[in-house]
Amino acid sequence: MFVTASAPEVDGASTAPPIISLRSASFGYADRAVVSDVTLDVRAGEVVAVLGPNGSGKSTLVRGLLGLTQHLGGDLELFGVPRDRFRDHARVGYVPQRHTLSTSVRATVEEIVATGRLVRQSWFDRPNRTDQSVIDRALDVVGLADRARADVTTLSGGQQRRVLIARALASQPDVLIMDEPTAGVDTANQHVLAEVLGRLAAQGVTMVIVTHEMDAFVDVVTRVVVIDNGRVSFDGPADDFGRQSGAVLHEHHTHHHDDEMRRAAGLPGTPGAGPLDRSGGRRA
Ligand code: ADP
Ligand code: MG
């Protein structure tokens, strides 16, 4: 389905710095690390699912990328620039872990999406035709073009999640980071969301998706990173992750011997193996 899209890579990408680069990085609160020793690179075109149990540190990690949790050790670079010197905020789109917009917000869908455009506008500019067309396209890709003038409070939870994604897209980010985009969204709307992300992936948009409902995104995700108790316990191509969980399931069902377990556990990307699989995210 997603036969290599238009991602402008192949030649350029291997020399361009990774979009996100972490080296033994740790993040936390009040000087206490919650996530430790994370080493990984995210490159253009990759769609990375960050999985892991509740409380394992997924949000702490992705919020750390945005400077919203304390960076307590190791290195973090965005587009080759150390986080504390990074100023190009429009390049990083973020959809926080929240179910919906506040009901006290009285605004139209289009107005909310337009606020995502502000980071690309100078204070002396009035919104111009480019801004409007970016906003229109963002609404279109999330399937809400026909609701542009609707009051956001009249939308369902799933539709409101899509408004927030459109708002993030309005800044034309180079990477879109989403924390639990399907949380609190019913199954039908999860499929719509998965389609939206599929469309973005086909356009070559790089994404980091925190989720514990991987099922909705299996066609989109190229790489899986599992966080367990504040550490990376798996990092590898989505296919290997599928095989590994398959092997483990198989083990449970048939009571095969231990060496099969060990083989499953030895798949690429166990701690320390880190990133750098340059699968570049293109689905075969
Ligand atoms: P996940 O997103 O994987 O469910 P979180 O990153 O939200 O996990 O939380 C990981 C750990 O960090 C939890 O033990 C949680 O209690 C703690 N934590 C989260 N937010 C804060 C905070 N603002 N201050 C202190 N500890 C926090
Ligand atoms: Mg979380």
Side-chain angles (χ1 to χ4, degrees), residues 29 34 53-60:
Y29 310 89
V34 163
N54 253 339
S56 57
K58 304 180 299 294
S59 294
T60 303

PDB file of all heavy atoms in Angstrom, residues 29 34 53-60, ligand 1:
ATOM      1  N   TYR A  29      12.065  14.234  36.682  1.00  0.00           N
ATOM      2  CA  TYR A  29      11.435  15.342  37.403  1.00  0.00           C
ATOM      3  C   TYR A  29      12.191  15.570  38.706  1.00  0.00           C
ATOM      4  O   TYR A  29      12.606  14.602  39.350  1.00  0.00           O
ATOM      5  CB  TYR A  29       9.978  14.999  37.730  1.00  0.00           C
ATOM      6  CG  TYR A  29       9.197  14.511  36.534  1.00  0.00           C
ATOM      7  CD1 TYR A  29       9.168  13.149  36.222  1.00  0.00           C
ATOM      8  CD2 TYR A  29       8.514  15.392  35.707  1.00  0.00           C
ATOM      9  CE1 TYR A  29       8.463  12.687  35.117  1.00  0.00           C
ATOM     10  CE2 TYR A  29       7.799  14.944  34.607  1.00  0.00           C
ATOM     11  CZ  TYR A  29       7.776  13.585  34.310  1.00  0.00           C
ATOM     12  OH  TYR A  29       7.096  13.128  33.219  1.00  0.00           O
ATOM     13  N   VAL A  34      13.545   9.325  35.453  1.00  0.00           N
ATOM     14  CA  VAL A  34      12.471   8.340  35.276  1.00  0.00           C
ATOM     15  C   VAL A  34      12.803   7.453  34.072  1.00  0.00           C
ATOM     16  O   VAL A  34      12.519   6.269  34.052  1.00  0.00           O
ATOM     17  CB  VAL A  34      11.119   9.060  35.084  1.00  0.00           C
ATOM     18  CG1 VAL A  34      10.075   8.133  34.495  1.00  0.00           C
ATOM     19  CG2 VAL A  34      10.632   9.653  36.399  1.00  0.00           C
ATOM     20  N   PRO A  53       4.389  -0.415  28.994  1.00  0.00           N
ATOM     21  CA  PRO A  53       3.309  -0.375  29.980  1.00  0.00           C
ATOM     22  C   PRO A  53       3.073   1.027  30.523  1.00  0.00           C
ATOM     23  O   PRO A  53       3.957   1.891  30.423  1.00  0.00           O
ATOM     24  CB  PRO A  53       3.794  -1.295  31.103  1.00  0.00           C
ATOM     25  CG  PRO A  53       5.056  -1.918  30.653  1.00  0.00           C
ATOM     26  CD  PRO A  53       5.530  -1.224  29.416  1.00  0.00           C
ATOM     27  N   ASN A  54       1.936   1.219  31.098  1.00  0.00           N
ATOM     28  CA  ASN A  54       1.612   2.470  31.780  1.00  0.00           C
ATOM     29  C   ASN A  54       2.658   2.787  32.833  1.00  0.00           C
ATOM     30  O   ASN A  54       3.065   1.909  33.579  1.00  0.00           O
ATOM     31  CB  ASN A  54       0.262   2.326  32.491  1.00  0.00           C
ATOM     32  CG  ASN A  54      -0.812   3.105  31.777  1.00  0.00           C
ATOM     33  OD1 ASN A  54      -0.498   4.029  31.016  1.00  0.00           O
ATOM     34  ND2 ASN A  54      -2.049   2.743  31.987  1.00  0.00           N
ATOM     35  N   GLY A  55       3.097   4.022  32.845  1.00  0.00           N
ATOM     36  CA  GLY A  55       4.050   4.435  33.871  1.00  0.00           C
ATOM     37  C   GLY A  55       5.482   4.061  33.571  1.00  0.00           C
ATOM     38  O   GLY A  55       6.374   4.285  34.385  1.00  0.00           O
ATOM     39  N   SER A  56       5.736   3.510  32.368  1.00  0.00           N
ATOM     40  CA  SER A  56       7.101   3.080  32.054  1.00  0.00           C
ATOM     41  C   SER A  56       7.995   4.258  31.658  1.00  0.00           C
ATOM     42  O   SER A  56       9.212   4.121  31.610  1.00  0.00           O
ATOM     43  CB  SER A  56       7.083   2.033  30.937  1.00  0.00           C
ATOM     44  OG  SER A  56       6.443   2.538  29.789  1.00  0.00           O
ATOM     45  N   GLY A  57       7.395   5.394  31.344  1.00  0.00           N
ATOM     46  CA  GLY A  57       8.209   6.567  31.046  1.00  0.00           C
ATOM     47  C   GLY A  57       8.102   7.076  29.620  1.00  0.00           C
ATOM     48  O   GLY A  57       8.880   7.931  29.196  1.00  0.00           O
ATOM     49  N   LYS A  58       7.111   6.608  28.872  1.00  0.00           N
ATOM     50  CA  LYS A  58       6.972   7.008  27.466  1.00  0.00           C
ATOM     51  C   LYS A  58       6.736   8.520  27.337  1.00  0.00           C
ATOM     52  O   LYS A  58       7.387   9.187  26.549  1.00  0.00           O
ATOM     53  CB  LYS A  58       5.812   6.239  26.806  1.00  0.00           C
ATOM     54  CG  LYS A  58       5.928   4.732  26.898  1.00  0.00           C
ATOM     55  CD  LYS A  58       4.756   4.023  26.238  1.00  0.00           C
ATOM     56  CE  LYS A  58       3.402   4.328  26.851  1.00  0.00           C
ATOM     57  NZ  LYS A  58       3.228   3.837  28.246  1.00  0.00           N
ATOM     58  N   SER A  59       5.792   9.016  28.129  1.00  0.00           N
ATOM     59  CA  SER A  59       5.496  10.458  28.044  1.00  0.00           C
ATOM     60  C   SER A  59       6.676  11.285  28.536  1.00  0.00           C
ATOM     61  O   SER A  59       7.004  12.326  27.962  1.00  0.00           O
ATOM     62  CB  SER A  59       4.244  10.805  28.858  1.00  0.00           C
ATOM     63  OG  SER A  59       3.108  10.198  28.296  1.00  0.00           O
ATOM     64  N   THR A  60       7.315  10.808  29.599  1.00  0.00           N
ATOM     65  CA  THR A  60       8.488  11.516  30.125  1.00  0.00           C
ATOM     66  C   THR A  60       9.558  11.636  29.039  1.00  0.00           C
ATOM     67  O   THR A  60      10.182  12.688  28.884  1.00  0.00           O
ATOM     68  CB  THR A  60       9.046  10.769  31.353  1.00  0.00           C
ATOM     69  OG1 THR A  60       8.001  10.649  32.334  1.00  0.00           O
ATOM     70  CG2 THR A  60      10.230  11.500  31.957  1.00  0.00           C
TER      71      THR A  60
HETATM   72  P1  ADP B   1       3.867   6.554  30.564  1.00  0.00           P
HETATM   73  O1  ADP B   1       3.662   7.714  29.630  1.00  0.00           O
HETATM   74  O2  ADP B   1       4.701   5.468  29.986  1.00  0.00           O
HETATM   75  O3  ADP B   1       2.560   6.027  31.090  1.00  0.00           O
HETATM   76  P2  ADP B   1       5.002   8.570  32.301  1.00  0.00           P
HETATM   77  O4  ADP B   1       6.181   9.066  31.576  1.00  0.00           O
HETATM   78  O5  ADP B   1       3.780   9.407  32.286  1.00  0.00           O
HETATM   79  O6  ADP B   1       4.682   7.077  31.824  1.00  0.00           O
HETATM   80  O7  ADP B   1       5.365   8.346  33.816  1.00  0.00           O
HETATM   81  C1  ADP B   1       6.542   7.642  34.187  1.00  0.00           C
HETATM   82  C2  ADP B   1       6.798   7.872  35.661  1.00  0.00           C
HETATM   83  O8  ADP B   1       7.062   9.265  35.904  1.00  0.00           O
HETATM   84  C3  ADP B   1       5.640   7.488  36.565  1.00  0.00           C
HETATM   85  O9  ADP B   1       6.156   6.825  37.690  1.00  0.00           O
HETATM   86  C4  ADP B   1       5.045   8.804  36.960  1.00  0.00           C
HETATM   87  O10 ADP B   1       4.510   8.737  38.254  1.00  0.00           O
HETATM   88  C5  ADP B   1       6.236   9.746  36.924  1.00  0.00           C
HETATM   89  N1  ADP B   1       5.806  11.098  36.609  1.00  0.00           N
HETATM   90  C6  ADP B   1       5.069  11.475  35.552  1.00  0.00           C
HETATM   91  N2  ADP B   1       4.846  12.802  35.543  1.00  0.00           N
HETATM   92  C7  ADP B   1       5.467  13.279  36.641  1.00  0.00           C
HETATM   93  C8  ADP B   1       5.612  14.591  37.218  1.00  0.00           C
HETATM   94  N3  ADP B   1       5.072  15.660  36.639  1.00  0.00           N
HETATM   95  N4  ADP B   1       6.324  14.687  38.352  1.00  0.00           N
HETATM   96  C9  ADP B   1       6.876  13.603  38.950  1.00  0.00           C
HETATM   97  N5  ADP B   1       6.785  12.356  38.471  1.00  0.00           N
HETATM   98  C10 ADP B   1       6.077  12.181  37.339  1.00  0.00           C
END
